[in-house]
């Protein structure tokens, strides 16, 4: 390990007196207090890293050093969680060398000692995030933060770890990021990078740009009223408030000058003049564009679809409202999708009754096959969820404007105080129809391995795209998973900076219901056989989908 003194590089800018008062203001009044237009002039520029800088031990009181084992206690390829008194670290031995990093995955806190060590990387056992054991850097997703890295030394055949107490306690590290200070000549309606959409893909793109030293203006816009948040939690932890599931605190966006325009919808993109036109008429010029708009839930098309208390779970407010209305009441969920099943599992103990309506004969049949689907269905039925399969909704009946009953095509009438619809989604790309950007017949934006669209300088990422998947011989696929959105955002950012980086990752998804987690790796498009190892009845198994 080589430690060098922390160095801050600054290029001084002299701002005219009359302009200095502008320096602290945000032109949009919403996100960053420091905004600028860059056009080749000098600017302040520094790199910051939290919680440890280049020299993590500048405060001796913040340092702990402990002997953790004998050199022969670990074989090559082994990991061990070790206690340093005020916190734990993950000690790793690979190719005869020792490394020490944070022991918890920064995403959801999984114990990395239960993960997989391979070729200089440790992979999280829960959701597949991957970290470099030498640097601690995150190299595959989900998650935004890297692991803290600790100093290891060998003395008299004993292994010692020296670490910052703060890093041991936080178990996460924000990668080094560029920080820039606004200039007086910014232009409100012009940005270097415009990101449409503020989900995982958009946020990772913005963060990656800053991590790579990009110091020009970045603007994200979103139809949502909130800063980027953990959308998968909306159906798994439905009473979460926006602040609890925020991916980054408000201060983060201010610190790194990532502007977020909330409740702003782009209505059209003029690719010839590089202008995004917003619904309210506002126009913004851009140099590079990322489209990461995600998808739009499908609505029911039956009679009575306009009645109150029928929801798509799209925002924290939707999820919170459903929980409130469903408590001790009757709930009907239409669609045994991942969202529908997760909502059913969450409400099972809170509602008076939970009924699930699905066109297929078994939940998840298309994804997991009939045997696994039936095992999952059995778990739900043992938790008081009633299934109505191979039918669909013909009418929603109201009383005094509010939902009272759900009528099925089978003739069955279900009592319902609240209905949640989870019957699929379509890509949110309607505003691009006249843009000239290549969109396929299903509405997906077509990109190459570098997340580049058919238009130079325009990138797309996340649920709204089809991209070439290496493990499917570069077949264009749509993979609407949280993990994949992170990776798309990173690849797009690197190629905005002309790194020539191609996407290479294995799709990974997970769902959690009744304390059980289903994890799925790969990309299956139909299968002939399902090979199951383990106990399906106990839901302790591995299934291999073969073709």
């Amino acid at each position: 390990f080589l430690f060098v003194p922390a160095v801050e590089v600054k290029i001084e800018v002299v701002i005219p007196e009359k302009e200095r008062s502008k320096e602290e203001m945000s032109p949009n009044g919403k996100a960053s207090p420091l905004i600028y237009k860059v056009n080749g002039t000098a600017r302040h520029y520094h790199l910051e890293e939290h919680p440890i800088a280049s020299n993590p031990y500048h405060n001796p009181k913040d340092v702990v050093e402990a002997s953790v084992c004998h050199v022969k206690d670990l074989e090559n390829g082994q990991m061990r969680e070790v206690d340093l008194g005020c916190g734990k670290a993950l000690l790793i031995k690979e190719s005869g060398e020792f490394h020490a990093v944070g022991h918890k995955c920064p995403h959801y806190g999984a114990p990395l000692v239960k993960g997989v060590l391979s070729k200089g990387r440790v992979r999280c056992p829960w959701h597949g995030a991957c970290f470099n054991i030498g640097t601690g850097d995150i190299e595959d997703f989900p998650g935004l933060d890297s692991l803290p890295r600790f100093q290891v030394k060998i003395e008299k055949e004993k292994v010692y770890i020296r670490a910052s107490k703060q890093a041991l306690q936080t178990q996460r590290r924000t990668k080094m990021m560029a920080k820039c200070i606004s200039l007086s000549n910014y232009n409100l309606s012009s940005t270097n990078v415009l990101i449409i959409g503020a989900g995982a893909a958009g946020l990772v793109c913005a963060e990656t740009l800053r991590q790579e030293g990009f110091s020009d203006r970045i603007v994200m816009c979103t139809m949502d009223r909130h800063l980027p948040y953990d959308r998968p939690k909306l159906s798994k932890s439905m009473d979460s408030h926006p602040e609890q599931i925020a991916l980054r605190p408000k201060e983060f966006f201010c610190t790194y000058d990532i502007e977020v325009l909330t409740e702003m919808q782009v209505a059209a993109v003029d690719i010839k003049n590089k202008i995004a036109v917003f619904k309210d008429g506002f126009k913004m010029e851009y140099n590079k564009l990322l489209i990461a708009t995600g998808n739009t839930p499908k609505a029911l098309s039956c009679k009575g679809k306009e009645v109150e208390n029928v929801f798509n779970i799209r925002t924290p407010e939707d999820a919170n409202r459903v929980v409130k209305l469903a408590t001790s009441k009757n709930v009907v969920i239409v669609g045994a999708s991942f969202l529908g099943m997760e909502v059913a599992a969450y409400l099972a103990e809170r509602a008076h009754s939970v009924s699930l309506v699905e066109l297929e004969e078994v939940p998840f049949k298309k994804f997991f096959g009939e045997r696994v689907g039936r095992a999952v269905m059995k778990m739900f039925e043992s938790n008081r969820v009633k299934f109505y399969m191979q039918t669909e909704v013909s009418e929603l009946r109201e009383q005094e404007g509010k939902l009272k009953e759900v009528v099925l095509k089978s003739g069955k009438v279900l009592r319902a105080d609240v209905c949640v619809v989870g019957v699929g989604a379509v890509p949110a790309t309607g505003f691009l129809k006249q843009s000239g950007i290549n969109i396929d017949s299903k509405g997906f934006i077509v990109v190459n391995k570098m997340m580049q669209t058919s238009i130079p300088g325009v990138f797309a990422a996340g649920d709204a795209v089809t991209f070439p998947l290496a493990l499917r011989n570069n077949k264009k696929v749509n993979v609407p998973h949280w993990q994949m959105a992170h990776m798309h955002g990173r690849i797009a950012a690197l190629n905005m900076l002309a790194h020539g980086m191609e996407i290479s990752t294995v799709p990974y998804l997970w769902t959690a219901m009744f304390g059980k987690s289903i994890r799925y790796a790969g990309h299956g498009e139909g299968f002939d056989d399902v090979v199951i190892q383990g106990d399906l009845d106990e839901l302790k198994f591995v299934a291999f989908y073969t073709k």
Side-chain angles (χ1 to χ4, degrees), residues 353-415:
S353 70
V354 176
S355 302
L356 211 150
V357 180
E358 168 58 38
L359 203 51
E360 293 285 343
E361 58 182 315
V362 176
F364 299 138
K365 184 179 178 180
K366 180 182 173 184
F367 297 100
F368 299 149
E370 188 170 341
R371 289 176 65 196
V372 174
R374 287 202 184 281
V376 173
M377 187 173 175
K378 186 178 172 184
M379 174 179 72
F380 272 71
E381 288 173 333
S382 67
N383 282 280
R384 299 177 45 248
V385 175
K386 179 78 173 168
F387 285 90
Y388 296 87
M389 307 303 282
Q390 295 180 284
T391 187
E392 51 191 319
V393 176
S394 65
E395 184 184 355
L396 299 173
R397 289 181 183 162
E398 49 98 7
Q399 188 176 64
E400 297 176 1
K402 294 182 180 178
L403 180 68
K404 197 66 186 171
E405 292 174 335
V406 174
V407 183
L408 306 182
K409 285 192 176 175
S410 63
K412 182 75 177 174
V413 178
L414 307 176
R415 289 182 61 188

Side-chain angles (χ1 to χ4, degrees), residues 226 229 240-247 316-317 320:
H226 306 293
Y229 56 86
S240 297
H241 297 295
E243 306 77 40
Q244 294 173 309
I245 59 175
L247 293 173
E317 288 76 16
N320 296 171

